[in-house]
Amino acid sequence: MNVLAISCHPDDMEINCAGTLLRCKKRGDNVTVCHVANGNMGHVVIQPDELREIRANEAKTSGNSVGFNVVTCDVGDLLLDDYSKEQRDRLVKVIRDVKPDFIITHAPNDYMLDHVAVSKLTFAASFAASCPHYEPQLGPETPVTPIFYMENSDLVDSEPDYYVDITDELETKLEMLKNHASQIVWLMDHDHIDVLEKTRTISAFRGFQSGVKYAEGFRRCNVALRNTTKRLLP
């Protein structure tokens, strides 16, 4: 299968769904990760132009270390707009290139505007990508794609429909996250969060709920044309 994770910032994939994507890779799936925002506002000291390059390299280092394909839409932080045709079309191109069997992205009720915009852009782009006469220069149409929503920040208003056992993948997930060194500092300075400890704790909590040591939780986008009888998550 082809799996596409569309995250907002370059480290969101590692925090929320890297364990599941590692499971997908182990079973033979092709895994592509797209971060829509370039993360250029995510630091107190480093200036946006420099940080944009740093975060792109952090994302590539993390993804390449486990065989994921990493792409970006390169939209500046706090500039995401779910009504933007230009931004939607960037995602249409990614979706048509990857031809995913399913997409993982943010939930539409997450905690900050960029995450919410990515969720809505993904939903819109994945439908637009199925229409043959919509911007055909962006590639041939793809079927309407099932979507799974990753956890909201701090698990606020986030109750999973599906759990994925990531017990064997947890340490690799954390090693991937360590590649985002700029964000480990930023999240501590800006939000007073030890993101590595937090990620382990959330994985342990979801594991406790589902009867394993560590797990990731997901909600299904339950709308017409996106459901299937297949088990898509590993």
Side-chain angles (χ1 to χ4, degrees):
M1 287 197 291
N2 296 324
V3 179
L4 175 59
I6 300 176
S7 67
C8 184
H9 303 102
D11 59 332
D12 289 330
M13 174 273 289
E14 286 83 354
I15 294 169
N16 293 297
C17 64
T20 296
L21 296 180
L22 288 164
R23 288 276 312 267
C24 289
K25 188 70 178 177
K26 280 185 177 180
R27 73 181 181 186
D29 296 349
N30 300 308
V31 177
T32 299
V33 178
C34 172
H35 52 274
V36 182
N38 57 29
N40 64 339
M41 295 289 174
H43 208 275
V44 176
V45 177
I46 302 172
Q47 296 303 299
D49 286 347
E50 180 184 359
L51 186 59
R52 172 179 171 270
E53 297 297 327
I54 289 172
R55 298 204 66 186
N57 289 329
E58 289 174 341
K60 288 178 182 177
T61 298
S62 174
N64 291 344
S65 71
V66 294
F68 295 172
N69 180 40
V70 179
V71 298
T72 180
C73 292
D74 197 23
V75 179
D77 281 5
L78 305 178
L79 298 178
L80 284 158
D81 178 3
D82 52 285
Y83 288 101
S84 168
K85 182 179 184 303
E86 177 188 359
Q87 293 178 20
R88 181 176 69 234
D89 286 355
R90 292 186 193 186
L91 278 177
V92 169
K93 179 69 164 63
V94 171
I95 291 166
R96 287 179 172 174
D97 285 347
V98 174
K99 298 177 176 57
D101 292 281
F102 67 93
I103 294 171
I104 294 173
T105 193
H106 296 280
N109 64 332
D110 207 354
Y111 82 109
M112 59 95 68
L113 73 167
D114 282 355
H115 287 205
V116 172
V118 166
S119 181
K120 293 180 178 179
L121 283 165
T122 299
F123 183 83
S126 60
F127 190 90
S130 74
C131 298
H133 298 299
Y134 181 80
E135 304 295 356
Q137 76 279 6
L138 299 176
E141 75 276 11
T142 61
V144 179
T145 310
I147 294 174
F148 294 93
Y149 295 128
M150 60 181 83
E151 300 274 27
N152 289 345
S153 182
D154 296 338
L155 307 185
V156 175
D157 194 18
S158 183
E159 195 62 37
D161 299 317
Y162 295 91
Y163 295 86
V164 176
D165 183 353
I166 63 161
T167 302
D168 293 340
E169 286 69 44
L170 190 278
E171 298 306 325
T172 303
K173 171 185 169 86
L174 294 179
E175 288 301 314
M176 293 172 68
L177 184 54
K178 288 177 185 177
N179 286 298
H180 296 272
S182 68
Q183 295 314 286
I184 292 173
V185 174
W186 159 256
L187 289 168
M188 181 60 75
D189 288 347
H190 185 261
D191 300 322
H192 311 294
I193 292 171
D194 181 336
V195 67
L196 294 168
E197 179 182 4
K198 174 183 171 180
T199 301
R200 182 185 290 275
T201 299
I202 286 174
S203 300
F205 177 68
R206 289 307 191 205
F208 177 79
Q209 288 185 316
S210 55
V212 298
K213 189 170 183 180
Y214 297 110
E216 290 172 342
F218 299 90
R219 285 183 286 165
R220 183 181 64 185
C221 176
N222 186 22
V223 299
L225 303 182
R226 296 187 188 266
N227 291 320
T228 176
T229 59
K230 299 177 182 177
R231 167 76 186 197
L232 297 172
L233 294 172

